[in-house]
Structures are given as C-alpha cells and as structure tokens.
Amino acid sequence: MSTALPVPGPLGGARVLAFGEHQPANVVTNDDLAQRVATSDEWIRSRVGIEERRIADDTESVESMAVIAGGKALAASGLAPDDIDLVIVATCTQRDQIPNAAATVAARLGISAPGAFDVNAACAGFCYATGLAADAVRGGSARNVLVVGSEKLSDWVDWDDRSTCVIFADGAGAAVVGAAPAEENGVGPVVWGSSGERADKIYLRENRYLYQEGQAVFRWTTTELHRVALQALERSGVDPSELTAFVPHQANLRIVEAIARKLGAPQALIARDIVSAGNTSSASIPLAIARMGGRGELPSGSTVLTLGFGAGLTYAAQVLRIP
C-alpha cells in the first residue's frame, strides 16, 4: 500500500496527461442492420449520421474494454501503475452493480490500493468523472487519477427496435489526470446539472431495453445545451474564437452540428466520431479525442471544449488542454 502523500495542495492545478481508447473489432454496418429491421443505409445516415458502429462480442465487457483503454492512457502518460491513486469508471451499462468496475479495472492494470468508484451520469459521465478527478488532484486527495468511460450498450439494445439499434454501440475511452501549476491549469471548471423532470425521456424499458423519446431529446439538446457549453468557456476564461476543437457527446450527427452552430466558433474542429463509432455514451468524448489525436488533429496545447448529455437527463461541459 502506497504511503506517499497526494500532491499538490489545495492551491494546485490539474491537467490531462494522456488519452487512450479501445473499440471492439466487430464492425456492424447500416446494411447489416437492414437485414434484420426495416431500415436502410440512407434512412440511418439522414436521421443520425451513422455509417457503421462497433459491437462487442460475448468475451468483451465494460471492464475488459476499460482495461485496454485505461492501459493505453496510462502508458501514454509515462506513469507507472503505482503512480495512480484514484480510479474512476464512468458507465451506465455495467451488468452487475456489485462490485464496481473501477476496483476490478485497477487490479487488472496492476494499480495497487487506489480509491476506486463508478459514476453513472450516462452520456455525461466522462465529463462528470473528469471534473471529480481534477478536483481531487487540486484538493490534494489524489496525485494522479485514471478516468475511464466504458460502455457495452449492445447488452441493453432491442435489436428488433430500429429506433435504438441503429444508434448505440460499444467502446471505451480514458484519460489520466495529474497535477499542474495553478497558472497552467489544464482542466477547466465543470459546468454540470440535470433535468430530472424529463427522466422518462431516456430509460430502461422493462428494466431490459434502452428506450428514448427521440424528438424530445433532440429538442432539449439543440435548444438548451449550447448555453451550458458557453458557460463552461466563460468559467475557463476562454473565448469561442480560441477553441481548437469542440467535442460533444456523439449522440446524433444532427445534434452535434446544431449545437456547434450556436457556439460562435466557426474555426473550431467539430468531432464527428459518431459517423464511424456510433453512440457510445460516456465513452464517446474520450474515444473521439483519442482518435482525433491519433490522426494529428489536436496538437499539444490545443483547447478543447467538451459537452456531455444524456439520460437523467444529465449534462456537463468543461474545457480541456490537450497534452
């Protein structure tokens, strides 16, 4: 068990040290789905913008995907497992509620005796978890934190319901959050909230299948959430013109583009990972950032605005500096 005291103290800052990602190998195209339900490639592309998605097989789980993505982020950070003293897994698709995924993921990565807990804020989960991680580092409760968004939504999809089976997918994305000088703080204040009176718009039907009231969710996201994103920019002292990229939750390409238009940041690169990855809930933001980084689209020091939103209804936004 590590006895090292967490640093820095309450006046320190926090930054993201590295990202990692994982997608299952199994690719499911729109044409594949059209063989099962009454849909078509054109119908899916025109309504949600997805061309293909990754679906995990029976050997893959929330934990196993989190281990791969988390291991990549840890390796890229240059830290050793013993340097991590807190692990947070954001997920809403864990099959078993006990034990939590975080402790299992930590053990499989060789992280010794960390704090470990899961966060269920659905598709806003990564933003929630990153905010908690940064606050833990800034407050001195942790030195370095592994944050993972991992989802196996395919376990909760009715594959005969074309309104949901064409949208959801599987995958994991991760980040390591560590200390930074206060003046170089690389994780902005998280702006978060909820709209619990609309919790019935996305839920598990019969405690078995994902259901969402698509039009209501579309109206909510496209009319209200740009204000949350702008508030996160304001709290971080970042003007929209300074943004390198906008990475919202990859819920629906029409939603992504509608919110982006309201930001007043025409120069910002807009994440459109949903086209090839589908909607992976809490994994979608770190997965998109890691993939964009891998393509060389986010140079070190890039300013990225993230915005998560989903079941609850929950939402959160924050500004990140790319390592």
Side-chain angles (χ1 to χ4, degrees):
M1 181 179 296
S2 173
T3 58
L5 292 175
V7 293
L11 298 180
R15 59 178 177 150
V16 178
L17 303 178
F19 288 93
E21 55 82 24
H22 172 69
Q23 290 183 287
N26 182 35
V27 177
V28 176
T29 67
N30 293 341
D31 289 334
D32 292 333
L33 292 175
Q35 295 180 28
R36 176 156 184 166
V37 295
T39 190
S40 68
D41 179 62
E42 188 280 330
W43 190 92
I44 297 170
R45 289 187 192 221
S46 64
R47 284 161 177 79
V48 294
I50 299 172
E51 296 178 3
E52 62 183 34
R53 73 285 294 146
R54 303 293 185 96
I55 301 298
D57 63 29
D58 291 340
T59 69
E60 298 171 286
S61 66
V62 166
E63 292 96 335
S64 68
M65 291 188 291
V67 167
I68 297 172
K72 290 179 180 178
L74 184 58
S77 74
L79 299 177
D82 282 346
D83 293 320
I84 303 295
D85 43 25
L86 176 61
V87 177
I88 307 173
V89 172
T91 185
C92 61
T93 55
Q94 173 78 328
R95 295 293 297 184
D96 299 314
Q97 294 302 303
I98 300 174
N100 65 32
T104 303
V105 169
R108 291 177 63 178
L109 287 172
I111 300 171
S112 177
F117 62 91
D118 294 353
V119 170
N120 180 355
C123 307
F126 179 77
C127 292
Y128 270 64
T130 303
L132 292 170
D135 285 347
V137 171
R138 282 190 287 256
S141 297
R143 299 168 303 165
N144 300 292
V145 185
L146 176 63
V147 179
V148 187
S150 184
E151 304 285 8
K152 192 178 180 184
L153 289 142
S154 60
D155 278 348
W156 305 94
V157 168
D158 180 352
W159 291 99
D160 294 315
D161 176 10
R162 77 167 184 176
S163 68
T164 56
C165 74
V166 303
I167 298 171
F168 296 110
D170 304 329
V176 175
V177 177
E183 66 273 13
E184 298 178 14
N185 201 9
V187 180
V190 61
V191 177
W192 50 19
S194 61
S195 182
E197 69 276 9
R198 289 181 275 199
D200 62 343
K201 304 307 178 188
I202 308 174
Y203 67 95
L204 279 182
R205 187 178 68 232
E206 301 170 358
N207 203 35
R208 178 66 185 90
Y209 296 122
L210 279 166
Y211 166 82
Q212 69 172 353
E213 192 174 317
Q215 286 303 312
V217 173
F218 184 88
R219 287 192 299 272
W220 172 65
T221 55
T222 57
T223 61
E224 299 185 28
L225 293 187
H226 68 284
R227 300 184 185 93
V228 179
L230 290 171
Q231 189 176 3
L233 288 172
E234 181 180 3
R235 289 193 184 180
S236 293
V238 175
D239 188 84
S241 65
E242 299 176 275
L243 277 181
T244 306
F246 174 47
V247 184
H249 163 51
Q250 302 293 289
N252 176 313
L253 188 59
R254 292 168 60 205
I255 291 173
V256 167
E257 294 179 339
I259 298 173
R261 285 193 294 269
K262 296 183 177 182
L263 285 182
Q267 81 297 333
L269 180 66
I270 310 303
R272 294 178 171 87
D273 206 52
I274 189 169
V275 173
S276 59
N279 180 337
T280 57
S281 189
S282 69
S284 75
I285 290 175
L287 182 59
I289 292 175
R291 280 158 54 89
M292 292 167 76
R295 294 191 296 266
E297 296 172 352
L298 298 176
S300 177
S302 295
T303 302
V304 174
L305 172 64
T306 65
L307 172 65
F309 48 87
L313 297 174
T314 57
Y315 54 87
Q318 65 209 147
V319 174
L320 305 177
R321 300 282 184 185
I322 298 300

